[in-house]
């Protein structure tokens, strides 16, 4: 084997182009060959790397800069086109709903409304339309400003307002016609000797009570036709749907916060609830409703009155012990269709006879009866002074166990029996008091004439866990 040294070189050369693919074009290389026995070896070495010139580097950099700029421009252009498309759509949603506007049709957020538009009733009011869709202008300020003059404050007095009077009730009302009729709740004016209404501008006038119906909590007042500020548009409560937005106008604490508007949505329709012993069907809402709102209008987003707001003690249900559960954070409004039917009868006849005996009752179930060693039945919670029950001798904490030939197991059954009678009918009741059974016979009266003053301000139930 021969040692490698300079003397062994057979051939050596320096070239400007890399042979056999070794190195890159333009590099300087050295090739050396030598023999080892009968073999010849060749070795190629790059001895000077070809470095691009400054001009070449600049041209390359400029080339990549131009390419980058073109790519960035393309991206920005695409974004601007997208933003412009979105802007056009938004502008289109704010355009007038003029049928001739076909260039930028409004966005439809509920496709079913486009294919199945609801129809209005025969009177032209109360047609259902989406409460609010995205892109629409807020209609509430216009509804409030165009309606508030038709709303009034109602103050009820036990005597003459201008002498020795006593304020016994404050609520809200609204004009339903140009000839002076005002709609409100019955409990706002019940037992009143005189009623005065205050207008939006602060002026006031005396109103007469046309009639009221305690059972449905509807009352009609009247003022001179020349005093009418604005008759509100009556809608169609049958078209109200859960989820519709609503506006209430009223006086939450009386005149201090008068003509307040509150906004909410419909939580349920045809809701059967018990309010101060009277069961009716209501529109359930979450708009804030307080005592002074009683009798005020509830509007849909077309500005039509769809209900009369009520703000009394609401019993939503009963727990397993039979104790009432009050509704919190909820409001209830009488459907305007029902209220207007009652109002028409009151205007025509002045009253609607409703059978009643002047008591409120609570159920005594088996569990409570066993716990307190008392009978099941309907416990008398309160008695109305000078009403049929008072005259027959009933008192708070009496437990009614039988009405006629029917054994009473709960208050619903007892109320149903009384409501099935006519004014003037007689009925015999059997009741428990202090461990003894008693009987009495009473004559059914007209609920609208019985009054509301509680006998001796006495309320039952506390002795039996209520």
């Amino acid at each position: 084997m021969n040692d490698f040294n300079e003397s062994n070189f057979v051939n050596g050369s320096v070239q400007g182009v890399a042979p056999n693919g070794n190195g890159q074009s333009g590099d300087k290389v050295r090739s050396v060959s030598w023999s080892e026995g009968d073999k010849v070896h060749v070795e190629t070495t790059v001895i000077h790397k070809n470095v691009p010139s400054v001009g070449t580097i600049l041209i390359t950099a400029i080339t990549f800069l131009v390419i980058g700029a073109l790519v960035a421009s393309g991206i920005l252009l695409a974004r601007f086109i997208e933003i412009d498309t979105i802007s056009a759509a938004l502008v289109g949603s704010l355009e007038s709903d003029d049928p001739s506007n076909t260039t930028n049709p409004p966005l439809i957020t509920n496709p079913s409304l486009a294919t199945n538009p609801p129809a209005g009733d025969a009177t032209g009011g109360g047609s259902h339309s989406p409460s609010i869709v995205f892109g629409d202008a807020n209609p509430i300020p216009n509804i409030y400003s165009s309606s508030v003059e038709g709303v009034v404050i109602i103050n009820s007095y036990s005597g003459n307002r201008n002498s020795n009077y006593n304020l016994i009730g404050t609520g809200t009302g609204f004009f339903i016609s140009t000839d002076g009729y005002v709609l409100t709740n019955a409990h706002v004016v019940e037992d009143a000797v005189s009623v005065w209404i205050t207008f939006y501008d602060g002026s006031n006038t005396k109103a007469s009570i046309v009639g009221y119906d305690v059972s449905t909590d509807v009352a009609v007042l009247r003022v001179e036709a020349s005093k009418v500020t604005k008759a509100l548009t009556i809608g169609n409560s049958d078209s109200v749907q859960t989820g519709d937005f609503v506006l209430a106008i009223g006086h939450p604490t009386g005149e201090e916060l008068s003509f307040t508007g509150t906004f909410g949505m419909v939580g349920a329709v045809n809701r059967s609830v018990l309010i101060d012993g009277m069961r009716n069907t209501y529109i359930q809402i979450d708009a804030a409703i307080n005592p002074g709102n009683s009798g005020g209008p509830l509007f849909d987003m077309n500005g039509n009155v769809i209900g009369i707001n009520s703000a009394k003690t609401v019993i939503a249900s009963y727990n397993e012990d039979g104790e009432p559960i009050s509704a919190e954070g909820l409001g209830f409004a009488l459907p305007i269709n029902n209220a207007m039917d009652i109002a028409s009868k009151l205007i025509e006849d002045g009253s609607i006879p409703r059978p009643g005996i002047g008591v409120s009752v609570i159920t005594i179930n088996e569990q409570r009866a066993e716990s307190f060693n008392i009978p099941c039945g309907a416990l008398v919670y309160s008695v109305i002074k000078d009403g049929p029950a008072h005259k027959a001798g009933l008192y708070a904490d009496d437990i009614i166990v039988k009405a006629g030939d029917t054994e009473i197991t709960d208050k619903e059954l007892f109320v149903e029996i009384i409501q099935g009678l006519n004014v003037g009918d007689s009925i015999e009741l059997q009741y428990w008091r202090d461990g003894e059974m008693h009987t009495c016979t009473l004559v059914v009266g007209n609920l609208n004439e019985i009054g509301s003053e509680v006998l001796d301000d006495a309320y039952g139930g506390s002795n039996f866990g209520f």
Side-chain angles (χ1 to χ4, degrees):
M1 179 177 180
N2 293 328
D3 294 330
F4 177 76
N5 54 50
E6 288 294 334
S7 62
N8 295 122
F9 288 172
V10 175
N11 185 27
S13 64
V14 176
Q15 301 179 17
V17 179
N20 303 322
N22 295 321
Q24 297 179 358
S25 177
D27 290 342
K28 292 185 181 298
V29 300
R30 181 179 64 184
S31 297
V32 178
S33 61
W34 70 93
S35 63
E36 185 178 356
D38 54 357
K39 293 183 178 180
V40 178
H41 300 276
V42 178
E43 182 180 88
T44 301
T45 305
V46 178
I47 61 173
H48 180 71
K49 188 74 173 178
N50 181 43
V51 178
S53 65
V54 174
T56 301
I57 294 174
L58 289 175
I59 292 173
T60 302
I62 292 171
T63 299
F64 279 104
L65 181 63
V66 171
I67 293 173
L70 290 174
V71 172
S73 298
I75 293 173
L76 289 174
L77 180 60
R79 294 294 294 168
F80 279 124
I81 291 174
E82 180 182 356
I83 292 172
D84 185 62
T85 301
I86 295 173
S87 298
L90 291 176
V91 170
S93 71
L94 297 175
E95 291 288 335
S96 169
D97 56 358
D98 184 349
S100 64
N101 178 19
T102 58
T103 305
N104 294 309
L107 294 175
I108 298 175
T109 59
N110 187 345
S112 66
L113 294 176
T115 56
N116 298 301
D121 61 8
T123 62
S127 61
H128 189 270
S129 62
S131 296
I132 291 179
V133 294
F134 294 109
D136 287 347
N138 179 6
I140 296 174
N142 286 337
I143 295 173
Y144 179 87
S145 62
S146 63
S147 304
V148 68
E149 290 186 355
V151 181
V152 297
I153 302 172
I154 298 177
N155 289 320
S156 299
Y157 300 92
S158 61
N160 191 320
R161 178 178 183 270
N162 296 319
S163 57
N164 295 323
Y165 69 90
N166 181 30
L167 181 64
I168 60 174
T170 297
T172 307
F174 56 96
F175 286 107
I176 58 174
S177 69
T178 56
D179 51 358
Y181 289 108
V182 175
L183 200 58
T184 187
N185 280 144
H187 74 264
V188 173
V189 298
E190 186 181 9
D191 298 331
V193 173
S194 63
V195 176
W196 286 71
I197 66 173
T198 302
F199 299 95
Y200 184 59
D201 63 3
S203 61
N204 54 64
T205 188
K206 188 175 183 179
S208 60
I209 300 176
V210 175
Y212 57 82
D213 182 40
V214 174
S215 181
T216 57
D217 202 17
V218 173
V220 177
L221 311 178
R222 193 174 190 182
V223 300
E224 296 178 8
S226 61
K227 301 286 187 179
V228 177
T229 49
K230 181 180 180 61
L232 299 183
T233 302
I234 304 302
N236 178 14
S237 54
D238 289 342
S239 68
V240 176
Q241 299 178 5
T242 299
D244 284 349
F245 292 128
V246 289
L247 171 69
I249 298 179
H251 322 296
T253 60
E255 297 190 21
E256 294 161 345
L257 298 178
S258 60
F259 301 100
T260 293
T262 55
F263 173 76
M265 63 169 277
V266 174
V269 295
N270 299 322
R271 183 72 85 191
S272 177
V273 294
L274 195 68
I275 299 183
D276 280 10
M278 301 296 175
R279 184 171 293 278
N280 283 295
T281 300
Y282 293 89
I283 300 170
Q284 179 183 314
I285 59 176
D286 65 2
I289 300 295
N290 293 280
N293 286 97
S294 293
L298 182 70
F299 298 91
D300 63 16
M301 292 297 100
N302 295 314
N304 300 318
V305 178
I306 56 171
I308 304 177
N309 301 314
S310 181
K312 298 177 69 178
T313 303
V314 180
I315 298 175
S317 61
Y318 292 85
N319 63 19
E320 58 184 11
D321 295 326
E323 297 173 343
I325 300 174
S326 296
E328 299 290 342
L330 300 177
F332 294 88
L334 292 163
I336 196 62
N337 290 12
N338 299 351
M340 290 299 290
D341 286 342
I342 298 298
S344 297
K345 294 176 182 177
L346 293 174
I347 292 171
E348 183 177 351
D349 300 326
S351 66
I352 301 175
R354 304 282 189 183
I357 61 172
V359 296
S360 59
V361 292
I362 305 174
T363 296
I364 299 293
N365 57 21
E366 292 183 2
Q367 182 178 354
R368 192 176 297 274
E370 292 178 1
S371 298
F372 292 92
N373 193 27
I374 56 178
C376 294
L379 179 139
V380 176
Y381 178 68
S382 64
V383 178
I384 301 301
K385 183 179 178 180
D386 297 329
H390 177 202
K391 294 176 180 178
L394 289 176
Y395 202 77
D397 269 340
D398 289 344
I399 300 176
I400 301 170
V401 297
K402 196 172 185 180
D405 296 327
T406 305
E407 292 187 3
I408 302 302
T409 54
D410 55 51
K411 69 180 188 63
E412 283 79 10
L413 177 58
F414 179 66
V415 170
E416 182 181 345
I417 290 173
I418 298 301
Q419 291 181 341
L421 301 173
N422 295 317
V423 176
D425 287 348
S426 296
I427 186 169
E428 183 178 88
L429 302 180
Q430 184 177 356
Y431 62 94
W432 178 94
R433 176 188 294 173
D434 298 330
E436 297 181 356
M437 289 293 180
H438 304 269
T439 59
C440 68
T441 300
L442 53 77
V443 178
V444 177
N446 183 351
L447 193 61
N448 293 311
E449 299 174 354
I450 291 175
S452 60
E453 182 181 352
V454 175
L455 177 63
D456 297 335
D457 200 27
Y459 296 90
S462 60
N463 293 331
F464 308 114
F466 289 105

